[in-house]
């Protein structure tokens, strides 16, 4: 009995091998094996497990066809990558970045980093009006990634010359017919095959406007047969139409109708397979790239189950026709290309010289794939282009020419976001940005904060020099917002703070990482009490500052960065003070000279803030921060001091501090240090723990503000990175205040 099952398995396998051998033996020449990979978004990553099993079994594939995600996986296999190679690529790819309109923050200049990904809605000004966004994703980073992946076959324009002949399917949007993509630019062909209507922008190729091939033929088995396949293996990750019991709402019914034609073709294609592989991936979604590792693992397990069948097919073919030699290929390993010519297509208002300069393109130069990617990102980071694509054309002398296809972005755009903070209340943040409005090579911005507090800023960036190394930046800013005051960590008053800034700075810039400059600013700061308290201040002070600054930003992303440093340091000299300030107590004037003697002498000041982020793993990021603000002023100065508290940088002269509400403490000099840990719970969901310590008024012999010299605090935050920005709920505690407090921040502030 104990030998019964092994004998049955042996007899089954022997029978299967015999049947396959008889089937193949009817052919005089070795049969051609075709492999078809279906579309299916994130689910298509399961195809990798099938490729790994085919490789392990030693089964040689002669043709590959695919649609959408199947075209990406299939083409990578066709150009010479093994299943293991593609698995490594898949694990290393930031799929959420690939399928978005975002690009890495490090691609942008420092001027752009402060504005990038800040607003939830952006409306380009086109043809005399602000237009709603199309909702379709261009994904510059996806084009760049595909260009890197197919760099080795840049000179091959006919896909039957790949190591394994390949074709993918797109759909002609004008007549709803399937278009077989078997020649041209492989990057364009694959991008067209996955251009899901309404999600990704369509692709124009050879004069045809193309969208995702899955609209018509998501499982192109017939195309593998047309290429010459005698035996077809098909891997399908789609689930087909929903059963009637799951059609519970109008949207599901509309989607069912939309997929009727594709499902009819799918049934036909399934019938053409000799070995049909269906993946049960119902618990995953086509957009579920956050579960990419799980999907790949599910595909690997499926491949393990199918390995015996692949092995039997390979053994049968080798038995009948001998061991197949590795196919010769025109593919070769290319580390770099020498580019001796160029063309730029699509420019309308921007000159070719300006585009090439922004890309830092140099003729008759050797470029690696990383160099080319960097060149495209450099130009794209100016935000003057909607997209930049390139292709390489082999030249007779063995060099290459590069062709840039570009689409200029609209010069003017309106941007909006919603923000709520425990300190500032709720507001609408609106921005109008226009490039080259007043002068060439310039950018002008107006930003408004409309809500419980009013804030406005107008900026103009004028770029000079060949590498835009000099930037002149005039700025006007006005703020009027309410500030609570505290005594012994208890709220005891409420002020309306009014602030005006006129600033002019000259900045020298390394485009992306570091810039420095000098400037002059005039500031007017005023207080107006709205609640009576034991000590009330009312009045204004005007003063001027000359300053020098250093700005560094190497963060990998604007929100919840995992790696990098952000640093801002400034040294200034304050002069020309003109204070007009009165004191009162519960509405009654105080005339004591000791109280009303306001220091108006000139003084120097230093401000410093640096943030460090270091990824410990995919889930954990170490955070740290150092802050300092020092006014080298003799005597007491109510103006231009530093406000301590809050978890988000909201206003000038703020020292953020976990454990205290905004402006709980006020000091003329302060230094603070923070360490924290951020844990990713799910995709976009985090828990953030922070602990910090500060010392204030350490430059004086006495504690002029009656604050505790040392203060400690901590916070615990639940955060979600939403479409409108961060949504953060925090609890905080400070030993000195001896109270547990809450803090809420939603969206990105002014």
């Amino acid at each position: 009995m104990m030998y019964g099952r092994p004998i049955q398995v042996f007899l089954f396998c022997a029978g299967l091998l015999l049947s396959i051998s008889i089937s193949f033996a009817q052919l005089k020449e070795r049969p051609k094996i075709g492999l078809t990979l279906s579309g299916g978004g994130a689910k298509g990553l399961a195809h990798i497990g099938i490729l790994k099993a085919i490789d392990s079994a030693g089964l040689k594939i002669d043709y590959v066809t695919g649609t959408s995600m199947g075209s990406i996986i299939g083409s990578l296999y066709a150009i010479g990558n093994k299943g293991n190679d593609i698995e490594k690529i898949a694990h290393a790819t930031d799929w959420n970045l690939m399928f978005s309109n975002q690009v890495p923050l490090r691609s942008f200049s420092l001027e752009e980093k402060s504005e990038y990904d800040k607003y939830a809605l952006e409306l380009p000004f086109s043809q005399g009006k602000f237009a709603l966004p199309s909702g379709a994703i261009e994904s510059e980073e996806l084009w760049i990634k595909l260009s890197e992946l197919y760099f080795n076959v840049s000179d091959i324009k006919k896909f039957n010359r790949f190591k394994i002949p390949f074709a993918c399917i797109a759909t002609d949007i004008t007549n709803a017919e399937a278009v077989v993509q078997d020649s041209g630019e492989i990057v364009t062909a694959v991008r067209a095959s996955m251009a899901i209507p309404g999600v990704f922008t369509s692709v124009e190729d050879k004069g045809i406007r193309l969208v995702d091939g899955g609209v018509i033929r998501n499982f192109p088995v017939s195309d593998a047969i047309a290429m010459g396949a005698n035996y077809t293996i098909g891997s399908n990750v789609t689930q087909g139409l929903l059963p009637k019991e799951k059609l519970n709402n109008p949207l599901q019914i509309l989607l069912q109708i939309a997929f009727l034609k594709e499902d009819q073709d799918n049934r036909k294609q399934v019938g053409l397979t000799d070995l049909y592989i269906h993946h049960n991936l119902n618990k995953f979604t086509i957009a579920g790239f956050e579960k990419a590792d799980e999907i790949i693992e599910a595909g690997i397990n499926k491949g393990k189950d199918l390995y015996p069948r692949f092995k039997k097919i390979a053994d049968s073919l080798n038995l009948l026709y001998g061991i197949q030699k590795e196919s010769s290929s025109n593919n070769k390993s290319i580390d770099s290309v020498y580019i001796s010519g160029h063309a730029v297509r699509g420019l309308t208002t921007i000159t070719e010289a300006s585009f090439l300069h922004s890309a830092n393109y140099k003729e008759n130069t050797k470029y690696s794939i990383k160099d080319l990617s960097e060149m495209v990102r450099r130009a794209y980071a100016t935000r003057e282009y909607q997209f930049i694509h390139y292709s390489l054309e082999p030249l007779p002398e063995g060099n290459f020419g590069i062709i840039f296809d570009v689409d200029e972005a609209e010069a003017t755009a309106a941007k909006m976001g919603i923000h709520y903070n425990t300190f500032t209340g709720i507001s609408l943040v609106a921005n109008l940005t226009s490039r080259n409005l007043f002068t060439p090579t310039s950018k002008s911005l107006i930003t408004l904060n409309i809500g419980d507090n009013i804030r406005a800023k107008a900026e103009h960036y004028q770029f000079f020099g060949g590498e835009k190394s000099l930037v002149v930046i005039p700025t006007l800013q006005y703020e009027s917002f309410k500030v609570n005051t505290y005594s012994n960590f208890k709220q005891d008053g409420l002020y309306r703070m009014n602030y005006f800034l006129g600033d002019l700075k000259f900045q020298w810039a390394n485009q992306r990482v570091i810039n420095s400059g000098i400037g002059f600013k005039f500031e007017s700061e005023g207080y107006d009490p709205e609640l009576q308290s034991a000590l009330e201040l009312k009045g204004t002070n005007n003063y001027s500052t000359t300053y020098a600054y250093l700005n560094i930003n190497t963060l990998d992303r604007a929100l919840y960065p995992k790696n990098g440093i952000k640093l801002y340091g400034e040294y200034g000299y304050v002069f020309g003070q003109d204070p007009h300030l009165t004191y009162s107590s519960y509405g009654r004037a105080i005339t004591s000279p000791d109280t009303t003697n306001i220091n108006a002498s000139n003084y120097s000041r230093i401000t410093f803030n640096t943030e460090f982020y270091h990824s410990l793993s995919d889930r954990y990021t170490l955070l740290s921060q150092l802050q300092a603000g020092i006014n080298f002023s003799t005597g007491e100065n109510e103006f231009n001091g530093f406000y301590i508290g809050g978890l988000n940088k909201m206003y000038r002269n703020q020292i953020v501090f976990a454990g205290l509400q905004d402006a709980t403490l006020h000091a003329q000099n302060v230094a603070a240090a923070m360490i924290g840990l951020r844990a990713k719970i799910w995709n976009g969901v985090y828990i953030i723990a922070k602990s910090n310590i500060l010392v204030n008024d350490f430059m004086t012999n006495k504690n002029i503000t009656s604050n505790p010299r040392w203060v400690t605090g901590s916070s615990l935050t639940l955060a979600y990175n939403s479409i409108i920005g961060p949504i953060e709920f925090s609890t905080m505690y400070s030993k000195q205040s001896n109270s547990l407090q809450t803090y809420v921040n939603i969206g990105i502030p002014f």
Side-chain angles (χ1 to χ4, degrees), residues 544-650:
S544 300
T545 307
T546 58
Y547 62 96
Y549 64 93
L550 176 68
N551 192 8
I552 298 173
N553 189 331
T554 66
L555 301 184
D556 60 343
R557 61 187 72 175
L559 300 175
Y560 304 112
K562 298 182 67 176
N563 288 289
I565 299 173
K566 184 178 182 181
L567 179 149
Y568 182 82
E570 180 182 306
Y571 172 80
Y573 182 73
V574 181
F575 62 95
Q577 292 193 77
D578 184 22
H580 300 275
L581 185 65
T582 61
Y583 292 83
S584 59
S585 179
Y586 297 108
R588 305 179 69 174
I590 299 175
T591 58
S592 169
D594 292 337
T595 304
T596 59
N597 184 22
I598 303 170
N599 177 29
S601 61
N602 301 341
Y603 61 92
S604 300
R605 72 193 309 261
I606 290 175
T607 59
F608 177 81
N609 177 62
T610 182
E611 304 170 29
F612 300 89
Y613 299 88
H614 178 68
S615 177
L616 301 176
S617 67
D618 181 58
R619 290 187 175 273
Y620 296 100
T621 302
L622 181 67
L623 324 172
S624 61
Q625 184 178 25
L626 297 174
Q627 303 172 86
I630 304 172
N631 286 334
F632 297 96
S633 174
T634 58
E636 193 163 354
N637 188 348
E638 298 295 345
F639 296 94
N640 214 18
F642 299 95
Y643 299 90
I644 301 166
L647 293 174
N648 299 87
K649 186 73 172 177
M650 302 297 301

Side-chain angles (χ1 to χ4, degrees), residues 17 86 133 207 320 322 385 455 460 495 504 556 600 623 632 696:
L17 179 61
I86 301 173
L320 291 171
Y385 305 95
R455 310 173 81 175
H460 180 79
Y495 282 82
L504 177 64
D556 60 343
L623 324 172
F632 297 96
N696 62 76

Side-chain angles (χ1 to χ4, degrees), residues 164-179:
I164 304 174
F166 170 76
C168 61
I169 307 301
T171 300
D172 186 340
I173 194 63
T174 60
N175 57 22
E177 291 185 356
V179 177

Side-chain angles (χ1 to χ4, degrees), residues 258-461:
F259 285 111
L260 283 176
K261 187 172 182 179
E262 186 273 324
D263 186 71
Q264 291 175 351
D265 185 79
N266 185 72
R267 295 171 186 269
K268 173 185 174 183
Q269 301 296 325
V270 169
L272 297 175
T273 58
D274 295 291
L275 174 53
Y276 178 65
I277 304 165
H278 183 261
H279 299 258
N280 184 9
L281 302 170
N282 291 335
K283 68 176 183 178
F284 303 107
T285 66
I286 62 173
F289 286 96
E290 72 279 0
K291 296 185 176 180
D293 293 349
E294 295 179 45
I295 296 172
I296 293 171
E297 188 62 29
I300 290 173
N301 291 332
K302 187 72 172 180
K304 290 177 179 177
D305 293 339
L306 289 163
Y307 170 79
R309 297 197 65 179
F310 295 145
K311 182 65 174 171
K312 296 297 184 295
I313 295 172
D315 290 345
S316 177
L317 289 172
N318 291 337
L319 179 65
L320 291 171
Y321 302 100
I323 298 177
Q324 188 176 12
K325 295 181 180 179
E326 189 76 20
S327 62
S328 60
S329 166
N330 292 315
N331 302 11
K332 54 185 177 296
S333 177
I334 302 176
D335 297 321
S336 60
V337 292
Y338 189 87
I339 297 179
S340 57
H342 73 275
V344 185
R345 302 186 297 210
L347 292 175
T348 55
T349 62
I350 300 173
T351 66
E352 180 176 304
S354 178
F355 168 79
L356 295 175
H357 189 77
S358 65
N360 198 27
Y361 169 78
K362 294 179 176 59
E363 199 98 308
N364 299 313
T365 301
K366 181 175 285 189
Y367 286 93
S368 69
I369 181 56
K370 296 299 181 184
D371 295 333
L372 292 172
S373 298
E374 188 73 5
M375 183 167 61
V376 171
R377 289 191 181 103
R378 180 182 292 273
Y380 185 79
T382 64
R383 306 208 68 186
E384 294 178 336
Y385 305 95
Q386 192 70 22
F387 65 72
I388 303 171
H389 310 154
Y390 74 86
S391 57
L392 297 174
E393 292 290 337
L395 299 177
E397 60 270 23
N399 300 333
F400 282 81
I402 188 168
I403 300 174
F404 296 99
D405 288 287
V406 305
D407 182 22
E408 295 180 18
E410 298 297 338
T412 301
K415 309 170 189 179
M416 287 177 283
I418 297 292
H419 181 247
Y420 172 82
N421 183 272
T422 299
F423 173 68
T424 59
I426 190 166
S427 59
L428 170 69
V429 183
N431 172 275
L432 185 67
T433 299
S434 186
R435 299 176 188 278
N436 308 322
L437 177 63
F438 302 109
T439 56
T441 63
S442 68
K443 181 178 71 169
S444 305
L445 305 91
I446 296 177
T447 308
L448 299 174
N449 185 98
I450 306 168
D452 294 344
N453 297 282
I454 302 299
R455 310 173 81 175
K457 180 191 288 187
E459 301 170 275
H460 180 79
Y461 291 78

Side-chain angles (χ1 to χ4, degrees), residues 24 31 36 62 82 124 127 129 195 254 257 421 447 451 471 617 636:
F24 288 155
T36 297
D62 298 287
K82 297 295 185 182
Q127 299 180 347
K129 62 181 180 180
L254 286 173
I257 293 171
N421 183 272
T447 308
V471 190
S617 67
E636 193 163 354

